Amino acid sequence: APPGAMSPAAPLLPLLLLLLLWRPLLGAPGQGAGTWSRFARLPYPQDQLFLHDTFPDGFLWGAGSAAYHTDGGWRQGGKGASVWDTFAHRPATPPASAPPGPAGGDVASDSYNNLFRDAEGLRRLGVSHYRFSLAWARLLPNGTAPINPAGLDHYRRLLGRLRELGIEPVVTLYHWDLPQGLQDAFGGWASPVLPQLFRDYAELCFRHFGGLVRYWLTMDNPYVVAWHGYGTGRLPPGVQGGPRLGYRAAHHLLQAHAKVWHLYNDHFRPTQKGKVSIALSSHWIKPQRMTEKNIKECQKSLDFVLGWFAKPIFIDGDYPESMRSNLSSLLPEFSEVEKKYIKGTADFFALSFGATLSFQLLDSHMKFQQLESISLRQLLYWISSEYNNPQIFIVENSWFVSGSTKRDDAKYIYYLKKFIMETLKAIRYDGVNVFGYTVWSLLDGFEWHRGYSIRRGLFYVDFQSHDKKLMPKSSVLFYQKLIEKNGFPPLPENQPIEGTFPCGFAWGIVDNYIQVDMTPAQFFDSNVYVWDVHHTKKLIKVDGVFTSRRKRHCVDFAAIRLQISLLQEMHVTHFHFSLKWSLILPLGNLSLVNHTLVHYYQCFASELLRANITPVVALWQPMSENQELPVSLAKCGAWENPETVQAFVEYAKFCFMSFGGHVKFWITMNEPPVKNLTYTAGHNLLKAHAKAWHLYDKEFRRSQKGKISIALQADWVEPACPFSRNDQEVADRILEFDIGWLAEPIFGNGDYPQVMRAWLHQRNSVDLYNFHLPYFSEDEKKLIQGSFDFFALSHYTTTLVGWEKEDALKYDHYLEVQMINDITWLHSPSRAAVVPWGLRKLLKWVKSKYGNVPIYVMANGIDDDHNMVHDKLRVYYIENYINEALKAYTLDNVNLQGYFVYSFNDRTAPKYGLYSYVANQYEPKPSMKHYREIIDNNGFPGPETPELLCPEEIASCPECHFFRTRKSLLAFIAFIFVAFIVTIFFITYYYKKVERRYK
């Protein structure tokens, strides 16, 4: 493929680059410390791109829940009290947030009475497994004998139904709900008696249910049980025993787990052929700065939370060395016999990661002054490195939404998407052995210390209702489709295409305002100087002596020559910049004209044409103070004042007269700020544009032969939940308010969008707002409608919107819209989302709404942070946005005629330029060279792309027009001139020859 072309193998590039950095995971204590440096040097941005691929065949997809979390029925069927029942009923210790329904988990989602309801939800999802926990106090009400037959029957029915549906049960023996009788009689996990009692309980479960269960988890998140149950007292049983008791409880939990594993291994594995592990929870931590000391602190943080339990089980039966050296006598010791007994007591690594521990139940001192993060991929790699590459089963993962969110849970979806994507990358890029994934949770429930203030279920439960029906959220559809496809398989629309743009396609660059430097050249100085060679070595001006002042020329402006040369180096065909109304007409009218600046602009435009670059000039762009209006207009209401309309028309006429000989591509207004415009100001702005357009059309078009339109900022808006009709309505509404407000009157029917009028009428009547959208007269509609020659738009990013209020800081009450972030998207340093396909969708939307109008993308760009690493993001941005534009042109038949990158240089648009500006020097960034290659190729030609032969185009140059139209005359004059020179030569030659003869 030619330089800059996108080869068919381009999608494989990120994978190949990452595989170069992949190494076999051997694993040993301390090897996880290499995780941070490894991920710091992965190729950017390739490593962060969305991976379109599938999971290995046979990958397990499931959902989970816990007994106290969803069951309810706390007094039904002979169930005994658990520590959570007691804790939730304490008047002095209510749940963290006041629940809208029953206290604690007394009823919760009422799964105890709705077993078949939950099973139907699982069937609908299409999961391969269901993780749930047995309520110890439902099987053994006091924690020990006697057995409760109703409890046995309940779980037999559940397991039987799962077998009928072909769903594999993953059963947790203990998920925090210790029988209260054991806490009262023995002090719970603080007692060395508990491990044996737990073994007895496990034996009961294995005997009665083991024939139906292949995956067992002894307990869930022992860190939370030990540290917050017996150390801090934040969670049941609420014992504030300090670190010493917390470590002792953990010691007993490890012993209990090992006893149960050996029980199963020795007595049940041969016949039941199942597997046993323990669900360990962890956070992720990253260094404040990439120093060896900080990395050691991160390693210590993971040792103190995950390694506390993982190292004894998966490595050597003992606690991490960092804990031993830091905690001295606080940490109990295992005998050598106990170490051997605990070591290896897990058949796979069961990992819990998400909202339960991260940013919630992790004590701040266990972060060791480093930064908590939610990178599941890095945690998976760390586990593989640290614990000898075990088989990993993710048995709990998700995030949460607000307790008030009902069924369009967009935030939940995008976190789920992120976590699953990171799992896929860990498998495909990092060689981590993950064989299953479990969403938490199947349905909304009582969320432990956070009560009902958040929701984590795929299915919505109305806790106020009597029947507790399951209602699928948008996340159900997302997860269902993901399971069907076994991941994120490549789709045709995700793949780059090959091809070229048409002849005459405008390849441009944008500068908000050109660098104006009117310092005269040295040759324009009429003073006479003497060089003091003996003393000061400087030039001394001679008073009273002057040379004749020559006429000012455009070449006198050195700044123009420099900028033109940079543009020529880029190979662009068009250059887009804005005039400064406030400087050209400082008083807002023709009573005072800045002729020097006018001359500078004239020179700049003419020099562009000499360089064969078409100037694209905007009359007004609201950038700096006073919106770049003359001060007199800004102080008198700016665009709120109807007089500004006429002032703009006079200014436009002056510009057409002054620059029209050089400028054939006009923008009346560039990116009017719709987010900050009042409806009155927008009304006047539209009239000003239309009048300027008609002025040009009637008085200047015939002689100047140019074109003129308005340029609107047009970022794409996508419904956050693609399956939600409500979210689609919100997205349509925002598009009309952001783009249609100014576009519909010009490109549509001459009036504002009906969606705007209907919405404002509703809001004004219901909420007593007073937002008045003005009306156009019939004459004004005729004036505005059709006042365009093309559709010019600026596009930078894509936004997700929804109707469910989730985050008050990102919620627009006026338009009733919630802004959502897809955390799997690439983002710039300023957090602008990089979403190339949004441009294609926008271009299709413009075509479908306004017909086959010629379209120019007048600005498209991304910021960086002066780090050359991040210019790689701009390279990716430019290539992929242009490729999406090519899809719109080639596949969607959009009448796209030009594309402009924003911006020219960092001096006038810091962090956005294709040229850096340091120490008064311009340096091309790699992105400039990449854009130049795309321009030279006119797109992305491939082996099958037909060759496009375009006639050489020459920009319109008034000074050059005379010569181009009189080529025959020029040839005749050249012939006469050459003949004259030859004649003179021969006359001189023969004259001298004759003269020598006479001598």
Side-chain angles (χ1 to χ4, degrees), residues 767-912:
D767 297 322
L768 302 180
Y769 284 103
N770 188 24
F771 294 110
H772 174 64
L773 190 61
Y775 286 87
F776 294 113
S777 67
E778 290 303 315
D779 288 340
E780 288 173 333
K781 289 180 182 179
K782 292 177 182 177
L783 177 78
I784 296 170
Q785 185 181 19
S787 57
F788 68 91
D789 296 329
F790 51 88
F791 195 114
L793 60 90
S794 300
H795 175 82
Y796 303 99
T797 189
T798 291
T799 304
L800 293 171
V801 297
W803 72 277
E804 292 262 26
K805 184 178 180 181
E806 178 66 35
D807 182 352
L809 295 177
K810 296 181 179 179
Y811 187 78
D812 186 329
H813 290 273
Y814 173 52
L815 293 176
E816 293 185 356
V817 56
Q818 177 71 61
M819 303 299 173
I820 302 289
N821 182 32
D822 184 341
I823 53 179
T824 66
W825 286 349
L826 278 174
H827 288 82
S828 73
S830 70
R831 303 305 298 162
V834 180
V835 193
W837 51 259
L839 175 58
R840 181 183 177 187
K841 286 198 171 188
L842 172 68
L843 295 173
K844 289 170 66 177
W845 182 84
V846 171
K847 178 184 177 182
S848 67
K849 195 165 179 64
Y850 303 117
N852 197 34
V853 58
I855 301 176
Y856 289 86
V857 178
M858 297 303 300
N860 179 234
I862 197 77
D863 63 290
D864 60 32
D865 60 358
H866 300 297
N867 184 332
M868 293 308 287
V869 170
H870 285 93
D871 192 60
K872 294 179 181 177
L873 177 61
R874 184 178 288 106
V875 169
Y876 171 84
Y877 182 99
I878 290 174
E879 174 159 327
N880 284 274
Y881 272 82
I882 294 177
N883 198 264
E884 292 295 323
L886 180 62
K887 291 178 187 177
Y889 168 73
T890 304
L891 305 178
D892 308 325
N893 295 313
V894 173
N895 188 7
L896 184 63
Q897 299 196 359
Y899 171 89
F900 292 66
V901 167
Y902 181 85
S903 162
F904 182 19
N905 63 74
D906 284 341
R907 183 176 185 182
T908 52
K911 301 183 180 181
Y912 282 86

Side-chain angles (χ1 to χ4, degrees), residues 161-350:
R161 182 58 180 153
L162 292 177
R163 169 166 280 194
E164 290 173 3
L165 296 173
I167 296 173
E168 189 82 55
V170 178
V171 180
T172 309
L173 293 170
Y174 168 64
H175 199 124
W176 306 2
D177 50 350
L178 184 73
Q180 184 63 43
L182 298 182
Q183 182 64 36
D184 294 339
F186 304 104
W189 291 108
S191 169
V193 174
L194 259 289
Q196 182 59 40
L197 297 178
F198 185 60
R199 180 196 178 282
D200 296 342
Y201 160 61
E203 184 174 3
L204 168 72
C205 297
F206 293 154
R207 289 193 185 281
H208 286 276
F209 311 129
L212 299 172
V213 179
R214 283 201 309 152
Y215 292 98
W216 290 97
L217 300 172
T218 56
M219 58 187 67
D220 182 87
N221 204 338
Y223 165 85
V224 168
V225 176
W227 191 253
H228 291 301
Y230 295 87
T232 67
R234 286 182 63 187
L235 297 180
V239 179
Q240 298 179 4
R244 186 179 299 276
L245 189 62
Y247 291 125
R248 190 196 307 166
H251 204 67
H252 297 151
L253 285 163
L254 278 166
Q255 290 170 331
H257 159 76
K259 280 181 178 290
V260 172
W261 187 89
H262 281 287
L263 168 69
Y264 189 85
N265 191 60
D266 296 342
H267 300 287
F268 295 96
R269 191 189 303 273
T271 56
Q272 296 181 1
K273 305 186 185 309
K275 295 183 178 182
V276 179
S277 189
I278 179 173
L280 300 180
S281 185
S282 183
H283 62 305
W284 181 248
I285 198 87
K286 63 181 182 181
Q288 292 208 36
R289 293 188 305 277
M290 283 294 291
T291 65
E292 185 176 347
K293 179 179 182 297
N294 286 347
I295 289 175
K296 285 182 178 178
E297 295 298 285
C298 288
Q299 181 80 0
K300 189 190 300 181
S301 175
L302 292 175
D303 280 346
F304 269 64
V305 179
L306 179 57
W308 184 4
F309 301 93
K311 183 173 175 285
I313 295 170
F314 289 91
I315 299 297
D316 58 6
D318 202 1
Y319 297 115
E321 180 57 35
S322 59
M323 294 185 74
R324 284 249 168 255
S325 59
N326 280 272
L327 298 175
S328 61
S329 61
L330 282 177
L331 199 62
E333 293 189 7
F334 291 116
S335 68
E336 291 303 315
V337 173
E338 287 177 321
K339 289 178 184 177
K340 291 178 182 178
Y341 190 72
I342 293 171
K343 176 184 175 183
T345 55
D347 300 323
F348 54 91
F349 197 113

Side-chain angles (χ1 to χ4, degrees), residues 48-80:
Q48 295 185 22
L49 298 179
F50 196 87
L51 174 59
H52 292 280
D53 201 350
T54 56
F55 285 80
D57 292 341
F59 192 81
L60 302 179
W61 295 103
S65 68
Y68 188 78
H69 164 244
T70 59
D71 276 3
W74 80 289
R75 284 180 171 174
Q76 289 181 260
K79 178 184 175 294

